[in-house]
Amino acid sequence: MKGNVIVGQSGGPTAAINSSLAGVYRTAKDRGAKKVYGMLYGIQGLLDERYLDLSQYITNDLDAELLKRTPAAFLGSCRYKLPEIHENQDVYKKIFSILDKLEIEAFIYIGGNDSMDTIKKLSDYAIVTGYPARFIGCPKTIDNDLALTDHTPGYGSAAKYIGTSVKEIIRDGYCLEYENGLVTIVEIMGRNAGWLTGSSALAKGEDCEGPDLIYLPELPFDLDQFLSRVKKLLEKKSSVVIAISEGIKLKDGRYVCELGTSVDFVDAFGHKQLSGTASYLSNFIAGEIGCKTRAIELSTLQRAASHSASRVDILEAYQVGGAAVKAADEGDTGKMVVIDRFSDDPYQSGTEVKDVHKIANDEKLVPREWVTKDGTYVTDEFINYVRPLIQGDVSPVMVDGIPRHLFRPI
Amino acid sequence: MKGNVIVGQSGGPTAAINSSLAGVYRTAKDRGAKKVYGMLYGIQGLLDERYLDLSQYITNDLDAELLKRTPAAFLGSCRYKLPEIHENQDVYKKIFSILDKLEIEAFIYIGGNDSMDTIKKLSDYAIVTGYPARFIGCPKTIDNDLALTDHTPGYGSAAKYIGTSVKEIIRDGYCLEYENGLVTIVEIMGRNAGWLTGSSALAKGEDCEGPDLIYLPELPFDLDQFLSRVKKLLEKKSSVVIAISEGIKLKDGRYVCELGTSVDFVDAFGHKQLSGTASYLSNFIAGEIGCKTRAIELSTLQRAASHSASRVDILEAYQVGGAAVKAADEGDTGKMVVIDRFSDDPYQSGTEVKDVHKIANDEKLVPREWVTKDGTYVTDEFINYVRPLIQGDVSPVMVDGIPRHLFRPI
């Protein structure tokens, strides 16, 4: 490389997104980039000319290792959607004048499907205007809902945390005996895709029966069937644990959480902000059955738990960061790095690049055949798919009993 | 020892209570106990003659290691309060006839202040009736509210999880910029004692500013002052993280969570069941300030997170289990094992036994001088107290990417 690289982070944070940032930095430096800039708060911050020189923060190999183990987005993130090119060329002119000033040769954006929309538009604009920089997307989302890639970095660590925590919750549920039993409802992220909620099945093993029911957002949720299934389970066992997606909906399209409280807030991408599904269902069950209930939201914890990250995930996140820079350096643009799985056991994977136009704004859902017929659990295929992605641990750098992170003063 | 030992677990589960169980088993066996029985679901289960022979579950050293790493209560627990001896002698006659049948020489009960009430009453009854068995309490509670002991097993692991998770939440809070800022309220267990909530300050370090405000239940909570403090913080920073105890109350004695919804359920010990404090305050702040808010309850996770247990805690839990058996074997009764701290740095501790009459039903609160004058943070003394208790890790036995536990089929 002869010019400079700029990298940004976009969308919801994960435990692995900073590992991709470390990978981008390392490969850019290895390939001779003079400067590696980090845009602050994604493309939105770049529009305000907010960026930094990453070499001031990653000063040695220890910093890079800490960065790989730091949750959330080191550079800050955004949920900013670029206008269509024909609607507002000024935004594009501004961005490209900044890139020009910074002598950017490669623009790497780490994010999910909304963020790939940004890569698509910027690379289109560059091609149309003859601007020479290359634009490459680097996959990231705990939701695992990106098309054309076997899975996304960030998913494995979240799945490992969910499997571990749900197992600990199941264990806890058997401590105390309640007259009419205990029903625990665990709410897991995933608005439309059930990849995370399905990973609660990882709790299942020789030493644990796993959650009793799993409800993904891909299938309509039926309150009456749910109630009768819970009643039946309580006839056989004293503690029932149910994993549900925050985004489960009734047949008529209403979110279950909307049954309890009205939630009208909608974000910039038109997504409804959800919360309280577990809370609604646990009140519903308590009222109908008279048993003890608990609602547990894994909330922010599930995407920020670097302390229990998956080694496969952190390494793959690092690799896709490097692969993005390599692709840009070799002349690709308008592409996203994807992960190919060569085999399940032993698990082997590699990277290639695919056209971002086929990825942006698309959502990969859990296939119907990976959910049981009655819609209350995931199949063995699902578990065999996710199991390799949670393998291995990344030992946190413990300082005084607490994991150390790489710190950017704000 | 010539006779048998029986051990029970009582009260809320922790990540360390099974390590005490392993300690009891090991020392009882080492001292020649023929049988080590485990009562199922504490004294309540024993009254129904529900117990097991622990040697059928702990068959080798690996089982013992797994048990030390298994959260929740392996034997099951209860919240059963024995009647006063003069009120109902039948209960006592029944218990002692079972102990007699099982040839029990030492009765070990692992629990908190309510559980020590059980040890007090049983040892009193044994002395009065001339029954030769010895009754020893083994401290356990994440709440750390037991009198006469420097701290309680279970507290260190919960504190480590809270410090780690709050740090991850703080990091996550800086990812996205919201127009009017983001306020995250983290709700932590502790009905009357703020030991757990105060441990959120462990997130503070060279790489993290820690939570911005910490509210313990020991001091009255003032909504107006809270609001003005949050407003002031939002003038200076974009993300504010506040740790609150589930049990914070207004000056007039009402729980903050009662302001939102009415919670009337009261458990057998007269404790109100609380929930929703963070949820109430985050709605309050959103309404008053118009900023983005989040409510995060660490819920069951904070007491069950064996995957991030403290090594000091797990080892001390094991030691107090052994010390309880030793005390009984040496003739003590009506005592609880306590932990003495000899020095902070290097941390050194040991065990002795103290009269359970001085411990039962008492609650050790956070001293006023360990909270800052304005009541919104803990002092350095508090942090220096808890810091040694979270040191070191206990590597989970990972099988297929998930921690393995010792399993008792139910």
Side-chain angles (χ1 to χ4, degrees):
Chain A
M1 307 190 98
K2 286 171 184 167
N4 299 325
V5 173
I6 192 162
V7 53
Q9 297 174 311
S10 171
T14 77
I17 188 171
N18 288 330
S19 186
S20 288
L21 182 62
V24 167
Y25 181 78
R26 172 64 182 266
T27 300
K29 281 292 175 190
D30 283 353
R31 290 190 160 241
K34 278 181 292 186
K35 294 262 187 195
V36 184
Y37 293 105
M39 51 191 109
L40 291 169
Y41 304 98
I43 192 76
Q44 191 169 20
L46 187 66
L47 272 164
D48 296 329
E49 300 201 42
R50 297 164 73 192
Y51 53 83
L52 50 74
D53 178 347
L54 269 171
S55 66
Q56 290 178 4
Y57 295 88
I58 308 173
T59 59
N60 55 41
D61 290 348
L62 177 58
D63 286 345
E65 283 305 316
L66 285 173
L67 182 58
K68 286 158 85 172
R69 288 159 169 82
T70 298
F74 182 77
L75 296 171
S77 180
C78 70
R79 291 196 188 279
Y80 182 82
K81 189 158 187 160
L82 281 174
E84 297 299 326
I85 297 172
H86 63 85
E87 283 174 2
N88 184 345
Q89 295 219 3
D90 290 350
V91 168
Y92 291 86
K93 281 179 188 153
K94 180 144 193 209
I95 292 170
F96 279 81
S97 77
I98 296 167
L99 298 183
D100 204 36
K101 193 181 77 181
L102 296 178
E103 297 172 28
I104 298 302
E105 184 181 332
F107 179 109
I108 314 291
Y109 212 43
I110 312 169
N113 27 32
D114 292 331
S115 316
M116 293 310 134
D117 179 75
T118 299
I119 286 293
K120 175 174 75 89
K121 286 169 176 163
L122 292 177
S123 62
D124 285 353
Y125 185 87
I127 288 166
V128 169
T129 58
Y131 190 89
R134 271 89 70 185
F135 297 82
I136 300 287
C138 194
K140 171 276 335 173
T141 164
I142 59 168
D143 290 329
N144 196 41
D145 58 355
L146 279 180
L148 302 190
T149 182
D150 179 77
H151 58 277
T152 57
Y155 173 56
S157 292
K160 188 182 182 89
Y161 178 82
I162 290 166
T164 300
S165 296
V166 167
K167 185 168 179 175
E168 289 171 344
I169 289 167
I170 292 169
R171 208 107 269 162
D172 190 277
Y174 284 112
C175 286
L176 291 165
E177 291 184 309
Y178 296 93
E179 206 180 324
N180 299 311
L182 167 67
V183 175
T184 305
I185 302 183
V186 186
E187 180 171 331
I188 297 170
M189 282 179 171
R191 197 178 277 110
N192 302 316
W195 297 106
L196 285 175
T197 306
S199 71
S200 62
L202 290 165
K204 201 174 165 178
E206 293 167 353
D207 58 336
C208 181
E209 75 260 35
D212 297 294
L213 298 167
I214 299 176
Y215 289 102
L216 311 190
E218 281 87 349
L219 296 175
F221 183 81
D222 186 304
L223 264 181
D224 292 333
Q225 274 183 22
F226 173 66
L227 178 60
S228 74
R229 286 209 168 90
V230 174
K231 278 184 183 163
K232 230 180 217 168
L233 281 162
L234 282 174
E235 287 168 15
K236 280 184 284 179
K237 52 195 309 212
S238 58
S239 173
V240 172
V241 174
I242 301 160
I244 55 147
S245 157
E246 59 176 354
I248 50 172
K249 280 184 246 179
L250 302 181
K251 244 188 193 158
D252 62 15
R254 277 180 302 161
Y255 285 105
V256 170
C257 67
E258 289 176 311
L259 304 177
T261 47
S262 64
V263 179
D264 294 323
F265 187 76
V266 171
D267 77 10
F269 287 91
H271 308 141
K272 285 196 182 186
Q273 290 298 297
L274 310 178
S275 77
T277 308
S279 171
Y280 172 77
L281 288 178
S282 86
N283 286 334
F284 171 73
I285 288 290
E288 293 286 333
I289 303 182
C291 57
K292 165 95 178 162
T293 61
R294 276 184 199 150
I296 299 176
E297 283 185 50
L298 296 188
S299 68
T300 304
L301 300 163
Q302 70 203 286
R303 71 180 183 202
S306 280
H307 76 269
S308 82
S310 147
R311 186 164 194 84
V312 163
D313 187 36
I314 297 298
L315 289 185
E316 284 187 341
Y318 188 75
Q319 285 163 10
V320 296
V325 173
K326 179 168 175 281
D329 192 24
E330 291 175 353
D332 275 315
T333 190
K335 302 275 170 72
M336 186 186 84
V337 178
V338 300
I339 300 173
D340 284 330
R341 181 189 303 230
F342 305 139
S343 81
D344 276 333
D345 191 10
Y347 175 70
Q348 289 180 22
S349 69
T351 61
E352 56 172 323
V353 292
K354 294 221 170 138
D355 187 350
V356 79
H357 293 76
K358 292 177 180 158
I359 298 167
N361 304 313
D362 197 6
E363 272 185 319
K364 186 179 69 179
L365 304 180
V366 176
R368 180 61 187 89
E369 61 272 23
W370 283 12
V371 185
T372 55
K373 263 191 189 160
D374 66 1
T376 65
Y377 222 81
V378 291
T379 64
D380 285 347
E381 283 102 319
F382 184 104
I383 297 173
N384 295 340
Y385 164 81
V386 64
R387 180 75 69 185
L389 311 181
I390 66 159
Q391 296 300 315
D393 308 306
V394 185
S395 46
V397 178
M398 299 301 279
V399 174
D400 246 359
I402 297 282
R404 173 61 61 110
H405 301 153
L406 190 69
F407 174 53
R408 178 172 68 81
I410 289 168
Chain B
M1 307 190 95
K2 286 171 185 169
N4 299 325
V5 172
I6 192 162
V7 53
Q9 296 175 312
S10 171
T14 77
I17 187 170
N18 287 330
S19 185
S20 288
L21 181 62
V24 166
Y25 181 77
R26 173 63 183 267
T27 300
K29 281 291 174 192
D30 283 353
R31 289 188 162 243
K34 277 181 290 185
K35 293 261 187 196
V36 184
Y37 293 107
M39 52 191 108
L40 290 169
Y41 304 98
I43 192 77
Q44 192 169 20
L46 187 67
L47 273 163
D48 294 329
E49 299 202 42
R50 297 164 74 192
Y51 53 83
L52 51 74
D53 178 346
L54 270 170
S55 66
Q56 290 178 4
Y57 295 87
I58 308 173
T59 59
N60 56 41
D61 289 347
L62 177 58
D63 287 344
E65 283 306 317
L66 286 172
L67 182 58
K68 286 158 84 172
R69 288 160 170 80
T70 299
F74 182 78
L75 296 171
S77 180
C78 70
R79 292 196 188 278
Y80 181 81
K81 188 158 187 161
L82 281 174
E84 297 298 327
I85 298 174
H86 63 85
E87 283 173 2
N88 184 346
Q89 294 220 2
D90 290 349
V91 169
Y92 291 87
K93 281 179 189 155
K94 178 142 194 211
I95 292 170
F96 279 81
S97 77
I98 296 166
L99 298 183
D100 204 36
K101 191 181 80 181
L102 296 177
E103 297 172 28
I104 298 303
E105 183 181 332
F107 178 110
I108 314 291
Y109 212 44
I110 312 169
N113 27 33
D114 292 331
S115 315
M116 292 310 134
D117 179 75
T118 299
I119 285 294
K120 175 172 77 87
K121 286 169 176 164
L122 292 178
S123 61
D124 285 353
Y125 185 86
I127 288 167
V128 169
T129 57
Y131 191 88
R134 269 91 68 185
F135 297 82
I136 301 287
C138 195
K140 170 276 336 172
T141 164
I142 59 167
D143 290 328
N144 195 41
D145 59 354
L146 279 181
L148 302 190
T149 182
D150 179 78
H151 57 278
T152 57
Y155 174 57
S157 292
K160 188 183 183 89
Y161 178 83
I162 290 166
T164 300
S165 297
V166 167
K167 184 168 179 175
E168 289 170 346
I169 289 167
I170 292 168
R171 208 108 269 161
D172 190 277
Y174 284 112
C175 286
L176 291 165
E177 290 184 311
Y178 296 93
E179 206 180 324
N180 299 312
L182 167 66
V183 175
T184 306
I185 301 184
V186 186
E187 180 171 330
I188 297 170
M189 282 179 170
R191 197 178 276 112
N192 302 316
W195 298 107
L196 285 174
T197 306
S199 70
S200 63
L202 291 165
K204 201 173 165 179
E206 292 167 353
D207 58 336
C208 182
E209 75 260 35
D212 296 294
L213 297 167
I214 299 176
Y215 289 101
L216 310 191
E218 281 87 349
L219 295 175
F221 182 80
D222 186 304
L223 263 181
D224 292 333
Q225 274 182 22
F226 172 67
L227 178 61
S228 74
R229 285 208 169 90
V230 174
K231 277 184 183 165
K232 230 179 217 169
L233 282 162
L234 282 174
E235 286 168 15
K236 281 184 284 180
K237 53 196 310 214
S238 58
S239 173
V240 172
V241 175
I242 301 160
I244 54 148
S245 156
E246 59 176 352
I248 50 172
K249 281 185 244 177
L250 303 181
K251 244 187 193 158
D252 63 15
R254 278 181 301 162
Y255 284 107
V256 170
C257 66
E258 289 176 309
L259 303 177
T261 48
S262 63
V263 178
D264 294 323
F265 186 76
V266 170
D267 77 10
F269 288 91
H271 308 141
K272 286 195 181 187
Q273 290 298 297
L274 308 178
S275 78
T277 308
S279 172
Y280 172 76
L281 288 178
S282 87
N283 287 335
F284 170 72
I285 289 290
E288 293 285 333
I289 303 182
C291 57
K292 166 94 176 162
T293 61
R294 277 184 199 149
I296 300 176
E297 283 185 50
L298 297 188
S299 68
T300 305
L301 301 163
Q302 68 202 288
R303 71 180 184 203
S306 280
H307 76 270
S308 84
S310 147
R311 187 164 193 83
V312 163
D313 188 35
I314 297 298
L315 289 185
E316 285 187 340
Y318 187 75
Q319 285 162 10
V320 297
V325 173
K326 180 169 174 281
D329 192 24
E330 291 175 352
D332 275 316
T333 190
K335 302 275 169 73
M336 185 186 85
V337 178
V338 299
I339 299 174
D340 285 328
R341 182 189 304 229
F342 305 138
S343 81
D344 275 333
D345 191 9
Y347 175 70
Q348 289 180 23
S349 68
T351 61
E352 55 172 325
V353 292
K354 294 223 170 134
D355 186 352
V356 80
H357 292 77
K358 293 177 180 157
I359 297 166
N361 303 314
D362 196 7
E363 270 185 319
K364 186 178 70 179
L365 303 181
V366 176
R368 180 61 187 89
E369 61 271 24
W370 283 12
V371 185
T372 55
K373 264 192 187 157
D374 66 1
T376 65
Y377 222 82
V378 291
T379 64
D380 286 347
E381 282 102 319
F382 185 104
I383 297 173
N384 294 340
Y385 164 82
V386 64
R387 181 72 71 184
L389 312 181
I390 66 159
Q391 296 301 315
D393 308 307
V394 185
S395 46
V397 177
M398 300 302 278
V399 175
D400 245 359
I402 298 282
R404 173 61 60 111
H405 301 154
L406 190 69
F407 174 54
R408 178 172 69 81
I410 290 168

